[in-house]
Amino acid sequence: MYIFKDTIFAAAFVNVITSTISLIFFYKICEICFNKQNAIISSFIFCVFPFQAWLGMSGLPESTAYCFIIAGIYYFIKWYLEKTDKTLIISSVMFAFANGFRYESWFFTATFILFVIFITIQDKKINFIFKNSLISFISLITIIWWLIQNYIDHNDAFYFISETAKIYDQFNTAGFLQKLVQYPVFIFYTSPLTAIFSFKVIYESFKGKELSIQKIFIWFNLFQLLLIVIQGVIGTGGTNMMSRYIILNAILLIPLSVKQALEFRKIFSVSLITLFITINIIWSFYYPQPYREDTFEVGYTMRYLIDKKFIGENENIYFEEDPGYLDIWAIKSLSNNPNKIVLGTFPLMKKQERKGRRKSDLTDDELNILEIKQYLEKNNINTAIVRSDSYTEKMSKLSVRNEQIGDYKIFYLKENSSNINDSSISTFSKNITQRRNNPDMIFYGGLIGLSNYVVDNSNLGMNPQTITLEWTSSHPKLLDSIEYEEFGLERFRSIIRIKTIDTDSTVYTITNKIFSDRNIEELIQNNRIKNIIVLKPFALLQYSRKFGKSPFDGGIYNLELSVFDEKNNNELLVYKGENNYIRDKIVFKDTLISKVADSLNIKIDTSKVKQRLQVTKTDSINYSYNLGSIIAMFPDSDYKKIVEKRSDFARIALAYSLQSILSQRYQADHILNWVFTYF
């Protein structure tokens, strides 16, 4: 923060630097183990390798860890050639640094130590075994420190493993065979071409007795992968989730595939290498979103409140932690002032204060409203971010202003001056969105318009986690209707219904307040507000805790949006422009079914749905708008039953899989789940 005033930029800047350093050492490794031509081509593929490109700009610690690992491998290879203590010490220090950033680096460290001992024995230099082993053990210093720190902080040296395991514990269906083969499968999914074309070179490395530098490089990568596979079988690694553990393994296969390509005839070699580069460039443009939309919005909101001095210099933000979830680190970074965020859970805080005066296992109900208020005042909390239902209810009884952003409930404990005045009200009246000028926009009750909406499409229509709704006012009386001066903002609520396509029956409903104390000012100033709605059944990590099993069957569903008026106890009529909204066909807007079915010429059987909607065509009164169709697939979904229920689901699922494989390199979870579970 002393050099860069933006934490996100600072993290990304560091990753760009470490990625550049990684490229330099990667080039040197390829040049030593293969040749200069291979090094140039492999380094170019390294630059456009999708995961490397993303991690190099993401601010995540993997890029920095990879930098030290690749540097460690380079100096290890130099040590093998030169047998000098200096290069071995540098290699050991590089692996030690890597261990401090990502604990999958520990498997590279273990491989490094074992290979040092193995090579020393192979060279028949028994007298040097103790010395070389001792030097290689330098790399363990940060692992030991990590374990000690975990024990000091949590009374459990392996706390980080147990917390990670909690995330997957309730919906992990991985069996022994899956745990055995999953990481090699991940490698082929991550980089299918380079992995396949490295086969022959790997096979040939086991021929002959000579221990060449090329063999050392190949075996080092394979042995580390073997350790990860073992960890997956006996540890916490057996899941249906795509893993970043094997990204570096996939990268280290690049020079092997290039070596194989260069052995073909020139025209074929050029074509194949061009294909490698082109496909990786295309895949590099498909970046994953590491957190849900509501997490980003909460982080940006906290930054806005801090920058605008709504949160004072000595005031703090409370964030209710949920063990096993890491969204707090994103929110701290996005707020650009992480020191202001106080972490904890109310029961844990209270247990520490009471020190055994009551039973040690406290529940949420043992903390009353007064105790919560005293804790917040003691820590000078200006704003509290709460997620648990019990504390949301308790905080609501404090009668403070609040708003909901996705899965987060934000309570503003200190009064802030309002920016609303006569001038802003006058400007608002002039900025009204006219229905006659927007014939294609959807309006509810003639008061509010749906200017834009986005259904999370990061998984190509499969299990979307969020819906972003952007609203605009279409009538000046909207402010009077919500009684903004008294902040009676509970009147209008959005309702998302997940409905079956065939029977139009609702299987799940999500209700959210449209207006809040904060966004009403944005509406008056800009005539635009945004709501983020979390589809909890599909937010898998939340889903595993909240439901225990799927709340409804997997399959194809429609998303429909209504607006409910609490005052008049009815839903608002839907208009399209100035006319009543008429549903005369299914609208698959920006969802999997339209994109994939059109691109692959798949005919979707929607005759039953069209017949039902044709009936409503004669009745032009509608109270909901179709946002599109989605595919629901839960960890405990029975794929065979879904196919029996809808014959077109198998074709759509296949189309989804092909689309994911060809474009979305980061969304392997559900495809791998199908493969491991059913095939």
Side-chain angles (χ1 to χ4, degrees), residues 453 455 461 464 467 495-510 535 538 552-562 581 583 585-589 591-594 604-606 608-610 612-613 624-632 646 648 652:
Y453 68 92
V455 179
I467 299 175
I495 302 175
I496 298 289
R497 293 185 176 93
I498 302 176
K499 290 188 171 185
T500 58
I501 287 183
D502 292 332
T503 62
D504 198 35
S505 58
T506 301
V507 297
Y508 198 83
T509 302
I510 304 157
L535 300 174
F538 304 133
F552 51 87
D553 294 335
I556 304 172
Y557 292 91
N558 279 332
L559 293 176
E560 295 198 358
L561 172 65
S562 305
Y581 168 60
R583 292 195 298 181
K585 62 179 180 179
I586 302 175
V587 182
F588 297 115
K589 179 177 179 180
T591 59
L592 165 75
I593 296 177
S594 62
I604 300 172
D605 181 14
T606 56
K608 293 182 180 179
V609 187
K610 287 185 177 180
R612 171 177 59 79
L613 293 177
S624 64
Y625 176 67
N626 191 309
L627 299 178
S629 280
I630 60 170
I631 292 180
R646 282 196 65 90
D648 59 348
I652 294 171

Side-chain angles (χ1 to χ4, degrees), residues 2 14 108 207 211 304 472 481 493 582 593 646 674:
Y2 292 104
V14 170
F108 280 100
K207 294 181 179 179
L211 195 61
Y304 171 82
T472 181
S481 69
R493 292 182 175 271
I582 301 174
I593 296 177
R646 282 196 65 90
W674 289 345

Side-chain angles (χ1 to χ4, degrees), residues 21-36:
I21 296 172
S22 298
L23 174 62
I24 295 171
F25 282 111
F26 182 76
Y27 174 87
K28 290 183 176 181
I29 290 173
C30 296
E31 187 176 29
I32 292 174
C33 296
F34 300 92
N35 54 52
K36 189 170 184 178

Side-chain angles (χ1 to χ4, degrees), residues 482-494:
I482 60 177
E483 300 172 343
Y484 75 96
E485 290 183 342
E486 289 76 30
F487 288 96
L489 305 172
E490 304 286 339
R491 177 171 179 178
F492 296 113
R493 292 182 175 271
S494 64

Side-chain angles (χ1 to χ4, degrees), residues 609-629:
V609 187
K610 287 185 177 180
Q611 184 178 3
R612 171 177 59 79
L613 293 177
Q614 284 171 358
V615 175
T616 63
K617 185 176 180 179
T618 59
D619 185 0
S620 60
I621 298 177
N622 283 289
Y623 296 95
S624 64
Y625 176 67
N626 191 309
L627 299 178
S629 280

